[in-house]
Amino acid sequence: MSAHENTQIDGGIPNHVAIIMDGNGRWAKKRGLPRIAGHHKGVEMVREIIKACSAKGIGYLTLFAFSSENWRRPEREVTLLMDLFLSALEQEVKKLHKNNIKFRVVGDTKAFGDRIVHKIEEAERLTRNNTGLTVLVAANYGGRWDISQACAQIALKVKSGEIDPDTITPETIQSFLSLHDIPDPDLFIRSGGEQRISNFLLWQLAYSELYFTDTLWPDFGAQEFDDALASYSQRQRRFGLTGEQVETLKHA
Ligand code: IPE
Ligand code: IPE
Ligand code: MG
């Protein structure tokens, strides 16, 4: 898949939005609350943003919930985050299904406890034939992990003679990534003020439009989301072409 086939060239509403939901801890700290209170509020905002995406007819929403580096946090926070993930799964999946939403988790889920893995599988099975918004939750996800696990799969196939190394292209690698069947994000949003990727979708963000806001995730509501979409709709995506070529393509 080239950038052209894979992503949209004309502004409007993005087909795939990917979000780093950052700032929960600082939101809580500002209020003298424990960090987990910020994570709880963060889950509420997830609900709001999913609702907004569904209403706008956005195709895919990818949410960074837990990075492969977040295990390095204090053990207590990691445990509380796992508990929150499990209870959110238990509470939300039926609602997602009722709203025709397809749910999927991307990341090295083996590292989670059996109960979480089981709930994830159940949720994916239940919602797999839904035709509305696809929500991807990136959990124990890292862009470098994803690219290395793809390489490991390819190496095995080279070893067994199924793949000839001379034929390996970006499309080959793409086909082994966690998001192999999902178009690349058109719009990337990071809340919480930091302007970095933090090992999120390294491969897939190659041509995404980037939007950073100082708003902390627990304050990132429908209005903030609209602001991000408005900014996106003003961008001219060129994918290496000239601005004139893009204008010609748009009017073709
Ligand atoms: C993002 O909020 C959520 C996770 C990483 C799980 P943070 O917990 O990183 O919040 P800050 O950045 O400390 O404010
Ligand atoms: C990125 O946020 C990961 C998630 C939002 C899940 P972090 O808070 O972990 O990122 P850094 O450490 O500030 O780069
Ligand atoms: Mg953070």
Side-chain angles (χ1 to χ4, degrees):
M1 259 183 292
S2 75
H4 281 288
E5 288 152 349
N6 204 12
T7 39
Q8 52 176 208
I9 202 151
D10 56 334
I13 290 277
N15 184 32
H16 183 176
V17 180
I19 308 182
I20 296 186
M21 311 181 287
D22 196 20
N24 294 349
R26 280 164 285 163
W27 182 91
K29 196 170 172 204
K30 268 196 347 202
R31 287 164 178 75
L33 298 168
R35 291 178 59 86
I36 191 68
H39 297 314
H40 273 276
K41 182 75 180 158
V43 173
E44 275 178 43
M45 304 325 276
V46 167
R47 257 182 234 125
E48 190 164 330
I49 298 308
I50 289 178
K51 214 161 104 186
C53 286
S54 266
K56 289 174 196 300
I58 288 169
Y60 305 87
L61 172 68
T62 302
L63 299 166
F64 205 5
F66 192 86
S67 77
S68 35
E69 288 72 32
N70 287 146
W71 295 108
R72 293 149 81 177
R73 293 193 175 195
E75 199 184 324
R76 170 117 187 106
E77 180 165 349
V78 172
T79 308
L80 290 173
L81 278 169
M82 291 301 144
D83 291 349
L84 181 61
F85 189 31
L86 186 62
S87 70
L89 276 171
E90 279 166 348
Q91 284 166 29
E92 304 300 326
V93 169
K94 276 201 192 93
K95 266 183 272 172
L96 295 177
H97 184 49
K98 228 169 48 201
N99 287 296
N100 195 25
I101 292 167
K102 194 187 280 192
F103 176 83
R104 203 160 109 190
V105 173
V106 289
D108 193 2
T109 51
K110 291 189 301 295
F112 297 125
D114 287 348
R115 280 182 68 196
I116 294 187
V117 172
H118 179 72
K119 277 279 155 210
I120 291 172
E121 285 169 1
E122 208 177 70
E124 289 181 338
R125 214 176 309 120
L126 178 72
T127 64
R128 79 192 320 155
N129 294 320
N130 288 344
T131 54
L133 171 71
T134 296
V135 173
L136 298 145
V137 171
N140 196 19
Y141 182 88
R144 288 179 175 177
W145 163 81
D146 202 3
I147 295 168
S148 6
Q149 69 75 26
C151 291
Q153 290 190 63
I154 293 168
L156 275 177
K157 293 201 185 288
V158 167
K159 205 169 148 193
S160 67
E162 278 173 83
I163 292 180
D164 170 0
D166 288 340
T167 65
I168 294 175
T169 60
E171 287 72 23
T172 319
I173 295 174
Q174 165 78 26
S175 70
F176 289 96
L177 293 171
S178 307
L179 279 74
H180 61 95
D181 52 345
I182 310 283
D184 286 346
D186 302 294
L187 171 62
F188 160 92
I189 299 172
R190 181 169 186 147
S191 66
E194 313 301 344
Q195 304 197 359
R196 55 178 172 250
I197 305 293
S198 299
N199 198 18
F200 193 26
L201 305 165
L202 298 180
W203 178 276
Q204 296 83 355
L205 292 175
Y207 267 105
S208 307
E209 294 299 323
L210 308 180
Y211 182 86
F212 297 95
T213 171
D214 288 338
T215 304
L216 303 172
W217 179 252
D219 292 324
F220 190 94
Q223 181 56 54
E224 296 282 336
F225 189 55
D226 279 346
D227 292 347
L229 294 179
S231 166
Y232 173 81
S233 71
Q234 298 303 310
R235 315 270 180 103
Q236 187 193 47
R237 307 185 72 188
R238 290 194 281 274
F239 300 103
L241 304 177
T242 67
E244 290 71 23
Q245 283 177 299
V246 171
E247 283 310 309
T248 313
L249 272 176
K250 266 195 199 174
H251 299 116

